[in-house]
Amino acid sequence: MRGRIFSGMRPSGRLHLGNYLGALQNWVDLQSDYECIYSAVDVHALTDMQGDVTKEIKPNINEMVLDWLAAGVDPDSSIVFVQSHVREVMILHSILSMVTPMGWLMRVPTFKEKVRQMHETEETVSYGLVGYPVLMTSDIILYKADTVPVGEDQLPHIELAREIVRRFNNLYGETFPEPQAKVTNNPVILGLDGKNKMSKSLQNHVELAYSEEETIARIRTAFTDPERLKRSDPGRPEICNIYTLQKYFNSDKLDEIYRRCTSADIGCVEDKQMLADSINEKLADFRERRRELADRTDYLEQVLGDGAAKARLIAQETLSEVLDRMNLSVR
Ligand code: TYM
């Protein structure tokens, strides 16, 4: 039997190269070997979008799902849906909250980091943020997925999901498979600042759907070797994130770029132009497909409606089983 994949992304709008190289590329490739379920996790987005800004969630979902489909996620073979459209996940989240010790949640490194980033304290932070990995676990196990393709930043969450599953299975009998993370060869893509993970909130990102001109302008802003002050100074590719990105987009010219950078035969400006040209060339088909899909009115709505209907069938079956096992069934 084919394994089952579940993965999700927060709807923060158009995706960037980090999302693509760290996860989306894998999502597309895995479709030939697994039954795949991909979700726009809008409830998770509420951990840092509150009040009026929630108006942005719907358009953000549309932009993100367009990226998925243009990159090759195939809604005829995979289930593509919006998290909140299958309400069973919220019930499972409440149930799993009862079997998850607070200590496990407070120790998750991403929790502490997020509290810091949001300028909150453990006193002021929402209960939902503490439970973020419990909701993530609910996403995965509601569909009894065994494999979860993600970037490296999500690994602590998957580890916690495995612990929650073990505890649930111990208490109520073997119900869920222990999910395994699956990272790509590029588990962390650094941003244009050259030191932090590429991320929209840090504004160090390159969106897949940028125009050619936007891509060139954006790559020009990237940090390179800070000790390369003059065009005639030799560069140090090993500490330059433009060189790292060249590995993904100019893999056939890597040796040449290394040699020409370290001998000052090319400067940072030319190096960046080569990278931007190659990104533009490699994403040309994606961008064209994205434009075509965006012009098809009602298409996204239809994909997400069909996806939710298919996801709901699996979710209802799992939830009935869970409620039965916990003696909460209405029958
Ligand atoms: P999110 O929306 O932050 O990111 C989506 C995916 O992109 C990967 N990613 C990166 N990979 C490498 N380098 C980067 N710079 C980079 N930036 C983002 C992330 O690792 C992720 O795979 N909590 C999840 C969403 C989620 C989920 C789930 C994932 C909710 N429920 C269930 C898997 C299973 C998140 O916030 O991802």
mmCIF file with all atom_site columns, all heavy atoms in Angstrom, residues 246-269:
data_model
loop_
_atom_site.group_PDB
_atom_site.id
_atom_site.type_symbol
_atom_site.label_atom_id
_atom_site.label_alt_id
_atom_site.label_comp_id
_atom_site.label_asym_id
_atom_site.label_entity_id
_atom_site.label_seq_id
_atom_site.pdbx_PDB_ins_code
_atom_site.Cartn_x
_atom_site.Cartn_y
_atom_site.Cartn_z
_atom_site.occupancy
_atom_site.B_iso_or_equiv
_atom_site.pdbx_formal_charge
_atom_site.auth_seq_id
_atom_site.auth_comp_id
_atom_site.auth_asym_id
_atom_site.auth_atom_id
_atom_site.pdbx_PDB_model_num
ATOM 1   N N   . GLN A 1 246 ? 23.516 29.942 -5.913  1.00 0.00 ? 246 GLN A N   1
ATOM 2   C CA  . GLN A 1 246 ? 23.970 29.488 -7.243  1.00 0.00 ? 246 GLN A CA  1
ATOM 3   C C   . GLN A 1 246 ? 23.937 27.965 -7.306  1.00 0.00 ? 246 GLN A C   1
ATOM 4   O O   . GLN A 1 246 ? 23.722 27.381 -8.372  1.00 0.00 ? 246 GLN A O   1
ATOM 5   C CB  . GLN A 1 246 ? 25.411 29.956 -7.542  1.00 0.00 ? 246 GLN A CB  1
ATOM 6   C CG  . GLN A 1 246 ? 25.635 31.449 -7.527  1.00 0.00 ? 246 GLN A CG  1
ATOM 7   C CD  . GLN A 1 246 ? 25.216 32.146 -8.828  1.00 0.00 ? 246 GLN A CD  1
ATOM 8   O OE1 . GLN A 1 246 ? 24.385 31.623 -9.567  1.00 0.00 ? 246 GLN A OE1 1
ATOM 9   N NE2 . GLN A 1 246 ? 25.757 33.329 -9.069  1.00 0.00 ? 246 GLN A NE2 1
ATOM 10  N N   . LYS A 1 247 ? 24.153 27.288 -6.157  1.00 0.00 ? 247 LYS A N   1
ATOM 11  C CA  . LYS A 1 247 ? 24.158 25.817 -6.154  1.00 0.00 ? 247 LYS A CA  1
ATOM 12  C C   . LYS A 1 247 ? 22.820 25.279 -6.646  1.00 0.00 ? 247 LYS A C   1
ATOM 13  O O   . LYS A 1 247 ? 22.749 24.226 -7.232  1.00 0.00 ? 247 LYS A O   1
ATOM 14  C CB  . LYS A 1 247 ? 24.418 25.281 -4.739  1.00 0.00 ? 247 LYS A CB  1
ATOM 15  C CG  . LYS A 1 247 ? 25.831 25.484 -4.280  1.00 0.00 ? 247 LYS A CG  1
ATOM 16  C CD  . LYS A 1 247 ? 26.067 24.818 -2.943  1.00 0.00 ? 247 LYS A CD  1
ATOM 17  C CE  . LYS A 1 247 ? 27.433 25.241 -2.427  1.00 0.00 ? 247 LYS A CE  1
ATOM 18  N NZ  . LYS A 1 247 ? 27.615 25.111 -1.003  1.00 0.00 ? 247 LYS A NZ  1
ATOM 19  N N   . TYR A 1 248 ? 21.741 26.005 -6.345  1.00 0.00 ? 248 TYR A N   1
ATOM 20  C CA  . TYR A 1 248 ? 20.422 25.524 -6.771  1.00 0.00 ? 248 TYR A CA  1
ATOM 21  C C   . TYR A 1 248 ? 20.081 25.964 -8.182  1.00 0.00 ? 248 TYR A C   1
ATOM 22  O O   . TYR A 1 248 ? 19.350 25.296 -8.881  1.00 0.00 ? 248 TYR A O   1
ATOM 23  C CB  . TYR A 1 248 ? 19.328 26.031 -5.815  1.00 0.00 ? 248 TYR A CB  1
ATOM 24  C CG  . TYR A 1 248 ? 19.641 25.742 -4.364  1.00 0.00 ? 248 TYR A CG  1
ATOM 25  C CD1 . TYR A 1 248 ? 19.775 26.773 -3.443  1.00 0.00 ? 248 TYR A CD1 1
ATOM 26  C CD2 . TYR A 1 248 ? 19.843 24.429 -3.940  1.00 0.00 ? 248 TYR A CD2 1
ATOM 27  C CE1 . TYR A 1 248 ? 20.085 26.507 -2.125  1.00 0.00 ? 248 TYR A CE1 1
ATOM 28  C CE2 . TYR A 1 248 ? 20.159 24.166 -2.626  1.00 0.00 ? 248 TYR A CE2 1
ATOM 29  C CZ  . TYR A 1 248 ? 20.286 25.208 -1.731  1.00 0.00 ? 248 TYR A CZ  1
ATOM 30  O OH  . TYR A 1 248 ? 20.606 24.948 -0.435  1.00 0.00 ? 248 TYR A OH  1
ATOM 31  N N   . PHE A 1 249 ? 20.590 27.125 -8.566  1.00 0.00 ? 249 PHE A N   1
ATOM 32  C CA  . PHE A 1 249 ? 20.118 27.670 -9.846  1.00 0.00 ? 249 PHE A CA  1
ATOM 33  C C   . PHE A 1 249 ? 21.166 27.659 -10.959 1.00 0.00 ? 249 PHE A C   1
ATOM 34  O O   . PHE A 1 249 ? 20.831 27.868 -12.108 1.00 0.00 ? 249 PHE A O   1
ATOM 35  C CB  . PHE A 1 249 ? 19.578 29.093 -9.621  1.00 0.00 ? 249 PHE A CB  1
ATOM 36  C CG  . PHE A 1 249 ? 18.313 29.080 -8.820  1.00 0.00 ? 249 PHE A CG  1
ATOM 37  C CD1 . PHE A 1 249 ? 18.327 29.327 -7.454  1.00 0.00 ? 249 PHE A CD1 1
ATOM 38  C CD2 . PHE A 1 249 ? 17.109 28.745 -9.416  1.00 0.00 ? 249 PHE A CD2 1
ATOM 39  C CE1 . PHE A 1 249 ? 17.160 29.272 -6.709  1.00 0.00 ? 249 PHE A CE1 1
ATOM 40  C CE2 . PHE A 1 249 ? 15.939 28.685 -8.684  1.00 0.00 ? 249 PHE A CE2 1
ATOM 41  C CZ  . PHE A 1 249 ? 15.961 28.953 -7.326  1.00 0.00 ? 249 PHE A CZ  1
ATOM 42  N N   . ASN A 1 250 ? 22.446 27.474 -10.599 1.00 0.00 ? 250 ASN A N   1
ATOM 43  C CA  . ASN A 1 250 ? 23.485 27.425 -11.628 1.00 0.00 ? 250 ASN A CA  1
ATOM 44  C C   . ASN A 1 250 ? 24.414 26.254 -11.341 1.00 0.00 ? 250 ASN A C   1
ATOM 45  O O   . ASN A 1 250 ? 25.641 26.414 -11.398 1.00 0.00 ? 250 ASN A O   1
ATOM 46  C CB  . ASN A 1 250 ? 24.288 28.737 -11.628 1.00 0.00 ? 250 ASN A CB  1
ATOM 47  C CG  . ASN A 1 250 ? 23.703 29.743 -12.598 1.00 0.00 ? 250 ASN A CG  1
ATOM 48  O OD1 . ASN A 1 250 ? 23.286 29.376 -13.696 1.00 0.00 ? 250 ASN A OD1 1
ATOM 49  N ND2 . ASN A 1 250 ? 23.679 30.999 -12.192 1.00 0.00 ? 250 ASN A ND2 1
ATOM 50  N N   . SER A 1 251 ? 23.848 25.099 -11.048 1.00 0.00 ? 251 SER A N   1
ATOM 51  C CA  . SER A 1 251 ? 24.674 23.978 -10.581 1.00 0.00 ? 251 SER A CA  1
ATOM 52  C C   . SER A 1 251 ? 25.718 23.583 -11.627 1.00 0.00 ? 251 SER A C   1
ATOM 53  O O   . SER A 1 251 ? 26.819 23.174 -11.283 1.00 0.00 ? 251 SER A O   1
ATOM 54  C CB  . SER A 1 251 ? 23.794 22.779 -10.218 1.00 0.00 ? 251 SER A CB  1
ATOM 55  O OG  . SER A 1 251 ? 23.003 22.437 -11.315 1.00 0.00 ? 251 SER A OG  1
ATOM 56  N N   . ASP A 1 252 ? 25.406 23.773 -12.913 1.00 0.00 ? 252 ASP A N   1
ATOM 57  C CA  . ASP A 1 252 ? 26.367 23.379 -13.956 1.00 0.00 ? 252 ASP A CA  1
ATOM 58  C C   . ASP A 1 252 ? 27.522 24.372 -14.078 1.00 0.00 ? 252 ASP A C   1
ATOM 59  O O   . ASP A 1 252 ? 28.547 24.063 -14.692 1.00 0.00 ? 252 ASP A O   1
ATOM 60  C CB  . ASP A 1 252 ? 25.630 23.213 -15.300 1.00 0.00 ? 252 ASP A CB  1
ATOM 61  C CG  . ASP A 1 252 ? 24.771 24.440 -15.632 1.00 0.00 ? 252 ASP A CG  1
ATOM 62  O OD1 . ASP A 1 252 ? 24.318 25.126 -14.677 1.00 0.00 ? 252 ASP A OD1 1
ATOM 63  O OD2 . ASP A 1 252 ? 24.592 24.739 -16.821 1.00 0.00 ? 252 ASP A OD2 1
ATOM 64  N N   . LYS A 1 253 ? 27.384 25.567 -13.482 1.00 0.00 ? 253 LYS A N   1
ATOM 65  C CA  . LYS A 1 253 ? 28.465 26.573 -13.640 1.00 0.00 ? 253 LYS A CA  1
ATOM 66  C C   . LYS A 1 253 ? 29.182 26.854 -12.324 1.00 0.00 ? 253 LYS A C   1
ATOM 67  O O   . LYS A 1 253 ? 29.906 27.828 -12.194 1.00 0.00 ? 253 LYS A O   1
ATOM 68  C CB  . LYS A 1 253 ? 27.857 27.904 -14.124 1.00 0.00 ? 253 LYS A CB  1
ATOM 69  C CG  . LYS A 1 253 ? 27.251 27.824 -15.497 1.00 0.00 ? 253 LYS A CG  1
ATOM 70  C CD  . LYS A 1 253 ? 27.075 29.241 -16.046 1.00 0.00 ? 253 LYS A CD  1
ATOM 71  C CE  . LYS A 1 253 ? 26.027 29.233 -17.142 1.00 0.00 ? 253 LYS A CE  1
ATOM 72  N NZ  . LYS A 1 253 ? 24.820 29.971 -16.798 1.00 0.00 ? 253 LYS A NZ  1
ATOM 73  N N   . LEU A 1 254 ? 28.959 25.991 -11.326 1.00 0.00 ? 254 LEU A N   1
ATOM 74  C CA  . LEU A 1 254 ? 29.475 26.284 -9.979  1.00 0.00 ? 254 LEU A CA  1
ATOM 75  C C   . LEU A 1 254 ? 30.992 26.443 -9.929  1.00 0.00 ? 254 LEU A C   1
ATOM 76  O O   . LEU A 1 254 ? 31.501 27.391 -9.318  1.00 0.00 ? 254 LEU A O   1
ATOM 77  C CB  . LEU A 1 254 ? 29.089 25.163 -9.019  1.00 0.00 ? 254 LEU A CB  1
ATOM 78  C CG  . LEU A 1 254 ? 27.857 25.368 -8.145  1.00 0.00 ? 254 LEU A CG  1
ATOM 79  C CD1 . LEU A 1 254 ? 27.810 24.291 -7.091  1.00 0.00 ? 254 LEU A CD1 1
ATOM 80  C CD2 . LEU A 1 254 ? 27.858 26.758 -7.522  1.00 0.00 ? 254 LEU A CD2 1
ATOM 81  N N   . ASP A 1 255 ? 31.704 25.490 -10.587 1.00 0.00 ? 255 ASP A N   1
ATOM 82  C CA  . ASP A 1 255 ? 33.174 25.538 -10.543 1.00 0.00 ? 255 ASP A CA  1
ATOM 83  C C   . ASP A 1 255 ? 33.667 26.840 -11.172 1.00 0.00 ? 255 ASP A C   1
ATOM 84  O O   . ASP A 1 255 ? 34.544 27.520 -10.642 1.00 0.00 ? 255 ASP A O   1
ATOM 85  C CB  . ASP A 1 255 ? 33.782 24.345 -11.295 1.00 0.00 ? 255 ASP A CB  1
ATOM 86  C CG  . ASP A 1 255 ? 33.544 23.056 -10.528 1.00 0.00 ? 255 ASP A CG  1
ATOM 87  O OD1 . ASP A 1 255 ? 33.159 23.151 -9.333  1.00 0.00 ? 255 ASP A OD1 1
ATOM 88  O OD2 . ASP A 1 255 ? 33.708 21.978 -11.112 1.00 0.00 ? 255 ASP A OD2 1
ATOM 89  N N   . GLU A 1 256 ? 33.042 27.158 -12.300 1.00 0.00 ? 256 GLU A N   1
ATOM 90  C CA  . GLU A 1 256 ? 33.437 28.382 -13.021 1.00 0.00 ? 256 GLU A CA  1
ATOM 91  C C   . GLU A 1 256 ? 33.174 29.634 -12.146 1.00 0.00 ? 256 GLU A C   1
ATOM 92  O O   . GLU A 1 256 ? 34.034 30.513 -12.031 1.00 0.00 ? 256 GLU A O   1
ATOM 93  C CB  . GLU A 1 256 ? 32.610 28.453 -14.308 1.00 0.00 ? 256 GLU A CB  1
ATOM 94  C CG  . GLU A 1 256 ? 32.878 29.673 -15.139 1.00 0.00 ? 256 GLU A CG  1
ATOM 95  C CD  . GLU A 1 256 ? 31.764 29.895 -16.180 1.00 0.00 ? 256 GLU A CD  1
ATOM 96  O OE1 . GLU A 1 256 ? 31.116 28.924 -16.607 1.00 0.00 ? 256 GLU A OE1 1
ATOM 97  O OE2 . GLU A 1 256 ? 31.553 31.084 -16.522 1.00 0.00 ? 256 GLU A OE2 1
ATOM 98  N N   . ILE A 1 257 ? 32.013 29.668 -11.490 1.00 0.00 ? 257 ILE A N   1
ATOM 99  C CA  . ILE A 1 257 ? 31.686 30.838 -10.652 1.00 0.00 ? 257 ILE A CA  1
ATOM 100 C C   . ILE A 1 257 ? 32.677 30.937 -9.494  1.00 0.00 ? 257 ILE A C   1
ATOM 101 O O   . ILE A 1 257 ? 33.191 32.008 -9.178  1.00 0.00 ? 257 ILE A O   1
ATOM 102 C CB  . ILE A 1 257 ? 30.225 30.751 -10.138 1.00 0.00 ? 257 ILE A CB  1
ATOM 103 C CG1 . ILE A 1 257 ? 29.248 30.873 -11.311 1.00 0.00 ? 257 ILE A CG1 1
ATOM 104 C CG2 . ILE A 1 257 ? 29.934 31.814 -9.083  1.00 0.00 ? 257 ILE A CG2 1
ATOM 105 C CD1 . ILE A 1 257 ? 27.794 30.563 -10.970 1.00 0.00 ? 257 ILE A CD1 1
ATOM 106 N N   . TYR A 1 258 ? 33.000 29.784 -8.906  1.00 0.00 ? 258 TYR A N   1
ATOM 107 C CA  . TYR A 1 258 ? 33.942 29.756 -7.785  1.00 0.00 ? 258 TYR A CA  1
ATOM 108 C C   . TYR A 1 258 ? 35.283 30.358 -8.227  1.00 0.00 ? 258 TYR A C   1
ATOM 109 O O   . TYR A 1 258 ? 35.841 31.247 -7.585  1.00 0.00 ? 258 TYR A O   1
ATOM 110 C CB  . TYR A 1 258 ? 34.128 28.317 -7.286  1.00 0.00 ? 258 TYR A CB  1
ATOM 111 C CG  . TYR A 1 258 ? 34.936 28.226 -6.020  1.00 0.00 ? 258 TYR A CG  1
ATOM 112 C CD1 . TYR A 1 258 ? 34.313 28.229 -4.772  1.00 0.00 ? 258 TYR A CD1 1
ATOM 113 C CD2 . TYR A 1 258 ? 36.335 28.177 -6.062  1.00 0.00 ? 258 TYR A CD2 1
ATOM 114 C CE1 . TYR A 1 258 ? 35.045 28.174 -3.600  1.00 0.00 ? 258 TYR A CE1 1
ATOM 115 C CE2 . TYR A 1 258 ? 37.079 28.126 -4.896  1.00 0.00 ? 258 TYR A CE2 1
ATOM 116 C CZ  . TYR A 1 258 ? 36.433 28.119 -3.669  1.00 0.00 ? 258 TYR A CZ  1
ATOM 117 O OH  . TYR A 1 258 ? 37.163 28.073 -2.513  1.00 0.00 ? 258 TYR A OH  1
ATOM 118 N N   . ARG A 1 259 ? 35.759 29.843 -9.372  1.00 0.00 ? 259 ARG A N   1
ATOM 119 C CA  . ARG A 1 259 ? 37.072 30.278 -9.862  1.00 0.00 ? 259 ARG A CA  1
ATOM 120 C C   . ARG A 1 259 ? 37.047 31.775 -10.187 1.00 0.00 ? 259 ARG A C   1
ATOM 121 O O   . ARG A 1 259 ? 37.928 32.528 -9.784  1.00 0.00 ? 259 ARG A O   1
ATOM 122 C CB  . ARG A 1 259 ? 37.411 29.456 -11.111 1.00 0.00 ? 259 ARG A CB  1
ATOM 123 C CG  . ARG A 1 259 ? 38.847 29.618 -11.617 1.00 0.00 ? 259 ARG A CG  1
ATOM 124 C CD  . ARG A 1 259 ? 39.157 28.686 -12.791 1.00 0.00 ? 259 ARG A CD  1
ATOM 125 N NE  . ARG A 1 259 ? 38.085 28.445 -13.739 1.00 0.00 ? 259 ARG A NE  1
ATOM 126 C CZ  . ARG A 1 259 ? 37.663 29.309 -14.672 1.00 0.00 ? 259 ARG A CZ  1
ATOM 127 N NH1 . ARG A 1 259 ? 38.228 30.484 -14.790 1.00 0.00 ? 259 ARG A NH1 1
ATOM 128 N NH2 . ARG A 1 259 ? 36.685 28.984 -15.507 1.00 0.00 ? 259 ARG A NH2 1
ATOM 129 N N   . ARG A 1 260 ? 36.015 32.220 -10.874 1.00 0.00 ? 260 ARG A N   1
ATOM 130 C CA  . ARG A 1 260 ? 35.979 33.627 -11.312 1.00 0.00 ? 260 ARG A CA  1
ATOM 131 C C   . ARG A 1 260 ? 35.755 34.586 -10.132 1.00 0.00 ? 260 ARG A C   1
ATOM 132 O O   . ARG A 1 260 ? 36.228 35.717 -10.156 1.00 0.00 ? 260 ARG A O   1
ATOM 133 C CB  . ARG A 1 260 ? 34.908 33.810 -12.387 1.00 0.00 ? 260 ARG A CB  1
ATOM 134 C CG  . ARG A 1 260 ? 35.261 33.025 -13.648 1.00 0.00 ? 260 ARG A CG  1
ATOM 135 C CD  . ARG A 1 260 ? 34.287 33.295 -14.770 1.00 0.00 ? 260 ARG A CD  1
ATOM 136 N NE  . ARG A 1 260 ? 34.316 34.671 -15.224 1.00 0.00 ? 260 ARG A NE  1
ATOM 137 C CZ  . ARG A 1 260 ? 33.359 35.233 -15.945 1.00 0.00 ? 260 ARG A CZ  1
ATOM 138 N NH1 . ARG A 1 260 ? 32.294 34.524 -16.278 1.00 0.00 ? 260 ARG A NH1 1
ATOM 139 N NH2 . ARG A 1 260 ? 33.450 36.490 -16.328 1.00 0.00 ? 260 ARG A NH2 1
ATOM 140 N N   . CYS A 1 261 ? 35.058 34.117 -9.092  1.00 0.00 ? 261 CYS A N   1
ATOM 141 C CA  . CYS A 1 261 ? 34.841 34.978 -7.911  1.00 0.00 ? 261 CYS A CA  1
ATOM 142 C C   . CYS A 1 261 ? 36.130 35.077 -7.098  1.00 0.00 ? 261 CYS A C   1
ATOM 143 O O   . CYS A 1 261 ? 36.565 36.176 -6.741  1.00 0.00 ? 261 CYS A O   1
ATOM 144 C CB  . CYS A 1 261 ? 33.693 34.395 -7.073  1.00 0.00 ? 261 CYS A CB  1
ATOM 145 S SG  . CYS A 1 261 ? 33.523 35.142 -5.447  1.00 0.00 ? 261 CYS A SG  1
ATOM 146 N N   . THR A 1 262 ? 36.774 33.928 -6.858  1.00 0.00 ? 262 THR A N   1
ATOM 147 C CA  . THR A 1 262 ? 37.982 33.948 -6.010  1.00 0.00 ? 262 THR A CA  1
ATOM 148 C C   . THR A 1 262 ? 39.168 34.621 -6.715  1.00 0.00 ? 262 THR A C   1
ATOM 149 O O   . THR A 1 262 ? 40.127 35.030 -6.072  1.00 0.00 ? 262 THR A O   1
ATOM 150 C CB  . THR A 1 262 ? 38.388 32.515 -5.589  1.00 0.00 ? 262 THR A CB  1
ATOM 151 O OG1 . THR A 1 262 ? 38.411 31.688 -6.758  1.00 0.00 ? 262 THR A OG1 1
ATOM 152 C CG2 . THR A 1 262 ? 37.431 31.924 -4.573  1.00 0.00 ? 262 THR A CG2 1
ATOM 153 N N   . SER A 1 263 ? 39.096 34.747 -8.066  1.00 0.00 ? 263 SER A N   1
ATOM 154 C CA  . SER A 1 263 ? 40.199 35.423 -8.750  1.00 0.00 ? 263 SER A CA  1
ATOM 155 C C   . SER A 1 263 ? 39.804 36.858 -9.128  1.00 0.00 ? 263 SER A C   1
ATOM 156 O O   . SER A 1 263 ? 40.512 37.507 -9.898  1.00 0.00 ? 263 SER A O   1
ATOM 157 C CB  . SER A 1 263 ? 40.578 34.632 -10.009 1.00 0.00 ? 263 SER A CB  1
ATOM 158 O OG  . SER A 1 263 ? 39.454 34.589 -10.876 1.00 0.00 ? 263 SER A OG  1
ATOM 159 N N   . ALA A 1 264 ? 38.675 37.308 -8.633  1.00 0.00 ? 264 ALA A N   1
ATOM 160 C CA  . ALA A 1 264 ? 38.158 38.660 -8.914  1.00 0.00 ? 264 ALA A CA  1
ATOM 161 C C   . ALA A 1 264 ? 37.918 38.891 -10.408 1.00 0.00 ? 264 ALA A C   1
ATOM 162 O O   . ALA A 1 264 ? 37.918 40.033 -10.884 1.00 0.00 ? 264 ALA A O   1
ATOM 163 C CB  . ALA A 1 264 ? 39.080 39.740 -8.333  1.00 0.00 ? 264 ALA A CB  1
ATOM 164 N N   . ASP A 1 265 ? 37.701 37.816 -11.141 1.00 0.00 ? 265 ASP A N   1
ATOM 165 C CA  . ASP A 1 265 ? 37.385 37.956 -12.562 1.00 0.00 ? 265 ASP A CA  1
ATOM 166 C C   . ASP A 1 265 ? 35.926 38.439 -12.726 1.00 0.00 ? 265 ASP A C   1
ATOM 167 O O   . ASP A 1 265 ? 35.596 39.147 -13.674 1.00 0.00 ? 265 ASP A O   1
ATOM 168 C CB  . ASP A 1 265 ? 37.603 36.598 -13.241 1.00 0.00 ? 265 ASP A CB  1
ATOM 169 C CG  . ASP A 1 265 ? 37.385 36.665 -14.730 1.00 0.00 ? 265 ASP A CG  1
ATOM 170 O OD1 . ASP A 1 265 ? 37.709 37.716 -15.307 1.00 0.00 ? 265 ASP A OD1 1
ATOM 171 O OD2 . ASP A 1 265 ? 36.869 35.687 -15.303 1.00 0.00 ? 265 ASP A OD2 1
ATOM 172 N N   . ILE A 1 266 ? 35.071 38.022 -11.780 1.00 0.00 ? 266 ILE A N   1
ATOM 173 C CA  . ILE A 1 266 ? 33.730 38.643 -11.735 1.00 0.00 ? 266 ILE A CA  1
ATOM 174 C C   . ILE A 1 266 ? 33.560 39.329 -10.379 1.00 0.00 ? 266 ILE A C   1
ATOM 175 O O   . ILE A 1 266 ? 34.107 38.886 -9.369  1.00 0.00 ? 266 ILE A O   1
ATOM 176 C CB  . ILE A 1 266 ? 32.547 37.637 -11.924 1.00 0.00 ? 266 ILE A CB  1
ATOM 177 C CG1 . ILE A 1 266 ? 32.662 36.438 -10.980 1.00 0.00 ? 266 ILE A CG1 1
ATOM 178 C CG2 . ILE A 1 266 ? 32.368 37.242 -13.361 1.00 0.00 ? 266 ILE A CG2 1
ATOM 179 C CD1 . ILE A 1 266 ? 31.418 35.560 -10.933 1.00 0.00 ? 266 ILE A CD1 1
ATOM 180 N N   . GLY A 1 267 ? 32.779 40.402 -10.385 1.00 0.00 ? 267 GLY A N   1
ATOM 181 C CA  . GLY A 1 267 ? 32.460 41.085 -9.128  1.00 0.00 ? 267 GLY A CA  1
ATOM 182 C C   . GLY A 1 267 ? 31.095 40.630 -8.641  1.00 0.00 ? 267 GLY A C   1
ATOM 183 O O   . GLY A 1 267 ? 30.407 39.841 -9.326  1.00 0.00 ? 267 GLY A O   1
ATOM 184 N N   . CYS A 1 268 ? 30.673 41.144 -7.473  1.00 0.00 ? 268 CYS A N   1
ATOM 185 C CA  . CYS A 1 268 ? 29.386 40.725 -6.894  1.00 0.00 ? 268 CYS A CA  1
ATOM 186 C C   . CYS A 1 268 ? 28.217 41.102 -7.793  1.00 0.00 ? 268 CYS A C   1
ATOM 187 O O   . CYS A 1 268 ? 27.225 40.385 -7.871  1.00 0.00 ? 268 CYS A O   1
ATOM 188 C CB  . CYS A 1 268 ? 29.212 41.357 -5.516  1.00 0.00 ? 268 CYS A CB  1
ATOM 189 S SG  . CYS A 1 268 ? 30.457 40.787 -4.346  1.00 0.00 ? 268 CYS A SG  1
ATOM 190 N N   . VAL A 1 269 ? 28.349 42.232 -8.496  1.00 0.00 ? 269 VAL A N   1
ATOM 191 C CA  . VAL A 1 269 ? 27.237 42.677 -9.345  1.00 0.00 ? 269 VAL A CA  1
ATOM 192 C C   . VAL A 1 269 ? 26.969 41.663 -10.457 1.00 0.00 ? 269 VAL A C   1
ATOM 193 O O   . VAL A 1 269 ? 25.828 41.263 -10.722 1.00 0.00 ? 269 VAL A O   1
ATOM 194 C CB  . VAL A 1 269 ? 27.548 44.079 -9.940  1.00 0.00 ? 269 VAL A CB  1
ATOM 195 C CG1 . VAL A 1 269 ? 26.486 44.502 -10.935 1.00 0.00 ? 269 VAL A CG1 1
ATOM 196 C CG2 . VAL A 1 269 ? 27.675 45.094 -8.814  1.00 0.00 ? 269 VAL A CG2 1
#
